[in-house]
Amino acid sequence: MSHNLYALFRARFAARLQAPCFLGADGAVFSFAALDDLSARFAALLRARGARPGERVLVQAEKSIGAVALYLACLRVGAVYTPLNPAYTDAEVDYFISDCEPVLAVLARPRETKAPAVECLGTDEASPFWRAALAADPDHALADRASDDIAAILYTSGTTGRSKGAMLSIGNLASNALTLHELWGFRPDDILIHALPIFHVHGLFVALHCQLLNATPAIFLAKFDAAEIRALLPRATMLMGVPTFYTRLLSLPGFGRADCASMRLFISGSAPLLAETHREFEARTGHRILERYGMTEAGMITSNPLDGERIPGTVGYPLPGVSIRSVDEAGRTVPAGEPGVIEIAGPNVFQGYWRMPEKTASEFRDGFFVTGDVGTIAEDGRVAIVGRAKDLIISGGFNIYPKEIEDVLDACDGVSESAVIGVPHPDFGEAVVALVVKRPNASPRMQSLESAVAEKLARFKHPRAILILEDLPRNAMGKVQKNVLRETYRDILK
Ligand code: MLC
Ligand code: AMP
């Protein structure tokens, strides 16, 4: 039996081909039949450009229905979909191209790259690759795939500063999507607001896959705009977002119960939802946000219950089939309620990092993946994420690894070392601050530090403040005490 993931989705919406799949804020309607057709046309183009099963197709495009169709086309032909944040600089993209060696790179802006073929995809039909798809004959064939074949590689940064490609199999994606669809009680009348980016697990796999399995429409938006979402809520039943979505909605004057009358479920994840946001949202709207926890390497891991208590500051219970434990440094399970590093196993856990077998092996212990998150597991199995063992900043739901920014700053003239930390930020939850130590008798120019960062790194990684210091606090072992820095500068962006 073939496990082509597109076949799973198509079987679910086959009886509803003429029904709306995507709704635009302006009332535009795009049917399941149109998506089926457009993805088959992209599949024809992919095959013509050599995208055989297992070959990578790298995509750095703005969010659009065309980009969704291209993703589905990759599933159809069995190519490995490798999406990138459109905010990445050319230097960042060039690294990904050299690492994953795609047979085709589909970019928002045409330019020379090391990929053997480059196509240009914009946000509408007039863009070259989309136009070419419309002119191609649809190719509805579905490649024969096995459950452990790789469907996608999603890049995630690392503590070494070098990004790793997490390989997700068809089985990983299918099991997680089917589980969530069931767990969150999708209904035939659901309408999901889709305002997340589609180059990460949250918007691409959680939101899109559940919607396709449910064969109901999504209001499909290029990006999150709080006032626009508020205006659209009466047409919808569900919203999935990062915590910033909810704090921005709450900041709208008068936002409350009347806005949410048609809604059945608000879901939050990708970053910690402050308990106070959870409580304020309930007080204003009557809805208890359902918080869940996940990561690129494993999709969704835990969820608060649909029926039952959704407790602020907790991420609920492991999904069916997922095993979870909290361990100390020696790998011993800690007592219930005590903090430890969260380790997980299950059908959702990825197949390893692309071409990094040693790195992959080092992040597993006895078959469990070491998440790097610190959490507690209560007697009844309820999980709370209380910190991170990994040096990671999560800003507005985007992950930022300090090492990557420190490497850029350390290479600047007059800099002896730097430390990058995350501090509380009212909108993004956390934001980046850089502490730079100058060399003796040198005076690094702020402008050259900022332009080095701007040239190399995507905007969302740029420090919101750079401070020049004489030295950094260190412990007895000589290690920089980032916790001291975080405490010292905790109010700097408030
Ligand atoms: C935008 N900017 C950010 C930023 N997003 N800076 C830091 N962190 C972010 N997340 C920059 C912009 O470039 C801009 O810079 C300035 O900040 C203000 O932009 P904005 O217009 O206010 O931002 P906006 O476009 O509204 O985006 C904010 C956001 C967006 C929160 C809506 O970042 C977003 O959609 N985040 C979701 C990320 C996500 O899907 N994560 C899931 C990962 S999967 P300037 O200077 O040019 O003005 C995962 C697993 C799991 O983690 O569990 O789900
Ligand atoms: P990513 O690598 O982008 O997939 O980010 C995954 C990380 O986001 C996890 O390892 C957690 O640190 C964090 N995360 C996701 N969901 C939650 C949540 N609900 N609460 C706290 N942290 C979360």
Side-chain angles (χ1 to χ4, degrees):
M1 175 182 133
S2 173
H3 289 268
N4 192 300
L5 189 55
Y6 186 75
L8 172 67
F9 298 135
R10 198 176 185 295
R12 295 296 188 105
F13 63 67
R16 294 181 42 83
L17 280 176
Q18 301 315 319
C21 173
F22 295 127
L23 303 169
D26 58 357
V29 177
F30 198 84
S31 67
F32 283 99
L35 186 64
D36 191 52
D37 176 73
L38 185 58
S39 62
R41 291 172 193 270
F42 271 119
L45 294 186
L46 292 179
R47 285 200 169 97
R49 281 153 188 72
R52 304 279 169 265
E55 296 284 356
R56 278 76 54 214
V57 172
L58 177 135
V59 179
Q60 189 197 28
E62 295 294 340
K63 182 176 179 183
S64 72
I65 290 173
V68 172
L70 181 57
Y71 163 56
L72 298 178
C74 286
L75 296 181
R76 280 174 176 276
V77 307
V80 178
Y81 187 68
T82 309
L84 297 180
N85 188 337
Y88 285 151
T89 61
D90 289 353
E92 288 169 305
V93 175
D94 287 342
Y95 164 78
F96 295 120
I97 290 178
S98 62
D99 190 60
C100 78
E101 298 184 311
V103 68
L104 170 68
V106 180
L107 307 177
R109 289 169 285 110
R111 69 180 182 90
E112 282 276 303
T113 73
K114 282 202 178 134
V118 176
E119 295 288 352
C120 180
L121 182 71
T123 52
D124 60 37
E125 296 178 9
S127 70
F129 202 43
W130 198 324
R131 223 175 36 229
L134 291 175
D137 287 331
D139 179 349
H140 286 276
L142 299 184
D144 210 6
R145 303 300 280 150
S147 175
D148 57 3
D149 283 336
I150 304 304
I153 293 180
L154 264 64
Y155 276 94
T156 155
S157 325
T159 40
T160 59
R162 203 180 143 209
S163 286
K164 306 161 289 184
M167 298 187 288
L168 294 152
S169 70
I170 292 170
N172 293 148
L173 302 182
S175 68
N176 215 229
L178 290 164
T179 300
L180 296 175
H181 181 257
E182 175 85 27
L183 200 73
W184 292 339
F186 273 79
R187 298 182 189 167
D189 60 349
D190 270 331
I191 298 182
L192 172 76
I193 296 185
H194 193 306
L196 289 158
I198 53 168
F199 47 81
H200 274 315
V201 162
H202 198 163
L204 183 63
F205 300 146
V206 183
L208 182 71
H209 285 181
C210 282
Q211 179 228 337
L212 292 177
L213 285 178
N214 204 48
T216 51
I219 301 176
F220 193 74
L221 305 170
K223 60 173 289 208
F224 177 82
D225 176 281
E228 183 181 41
I229 301 287
R230 180 187 199 172
L232 291 168
L233 283 176
R235 289 171 51 191
T237 64
M238 290 182 77
L239 174 69
M240 292 186 194
V242 296
T244 301
F245 281 24
Y246 296 104
T247 50
R248 286 190 184 180
L249 283 172
L250 287 171
S251 72
L252 298 174
F255 177 80
R257 222 168 260 271
D259 295 296
C260 305
S262 71
M263 292 293 290
R264 81 166 177 90
L265 192 56
F266 290 92
I267 300 178
S268 177
S270 307
L273 181 75
L274 291 179
E276 75 193 54
T277 308
H278 192 287
R279 291 196 187 101
E280 190 186 345
F281 201 85
E282 184 180 13
R284 296 258 295 269
T285 68
H287 284 271
R288 288 176 81 78
I289 298 171
L290 184 153
E291 185 173 10
R292 91 310 179 268
Y293 157 66
M295 63 192 304
T296 303
E297 288 89 337
M300 296 304 99
I301 302 165
T302 71
S303 172
N304 269 281
L306 181 68
D307 303 311
E309 267 227 279
R310 300 178 199 162
I311 301 184
T314 77
V315 293
Y317 302 99
L319 301 189
V322 175
S323 306
I324 188 161
R325 65 189 190 192
S326 178
V327 303
D328 64 15
E329 276 173 13
R332 286 179 304 241
T333 300
V334 299
E338 298 281 319
V341 172
I342 298 289
E343 300 186 343
I344 54 170
N348 55 331
V349 176
F350 75 138
Q351 309 301 299
Y353 296 112
W354 169 253
R355 290 184 180 162
M356 288 187 176
E358 279 121 47
K359 179 77 194 158
T360 303
S362 73
E363 302 219 354
F364 280 84
R365 194 202 313 252
D366 316 326
F368 277 69
F369 175 65
V370 182
T371 64
D373 291 309
V374 176
T376 59
I377 305 177
E379 291 283 3
D380 73 346
R382 183 181 281 274
V383 179
I385 304 297
V386 299
R388 286 173 215 143
K390 52 194 173 189
D391 191 13
L392 163 71
I393 300 166
I394 305 183
S395 177
F398 286 139
N399 283 9
I400 301 166
Y401 276 87
K403 180 77 167 66
E404 202 183 356
I405 306 165
E406 288 161 1
D407 284 349
V408 172
L409 292 170
D410 292 352
C412 291
D413 274 351
V415 173
S416 94
E417 63 172 338
S418 61
V420 166
I421 55 170
V423 301
H425 186 273
D427 186 29
F428 292 131
E430 274 184 300
V432 177
V433 167
L435 295 322
V436 169
V437 178
K438 61 190 183 68
R439 286 186 190 286
N441 306 321
S443 44
R445 294 197 11 248
M446 193 57 82
Q447 208 189 350
S448 50
L449 299 178
E450 285 168 357
S451 46
V453 166
E455 188 197 328
K456 301 243 166 57
L457 303 173
R459 171 75 186 112
F460 70 90
K461 299 176 190 169
H462 296 189
R464 300 283 151 158
I466 301 180
L467 304 179
I468 298 182
L469 307 181
E470 291 298 324
D471 51 25
L472 297 173
R474 290 180 189 279
N475 65 15
M477 311 288 287
K479 196 167 178 291
V480 174
Q481 291 172 301
K482 288 202 170 176
N483 54 338
V484 173
L485 292 170
R486 277 192 286 268
E487 195 46 44
T488 309
Y489 297 102
R490 61 172 296 114
D491 292 329
I492 193 171
L493 298 179
K494 276 190 177 161

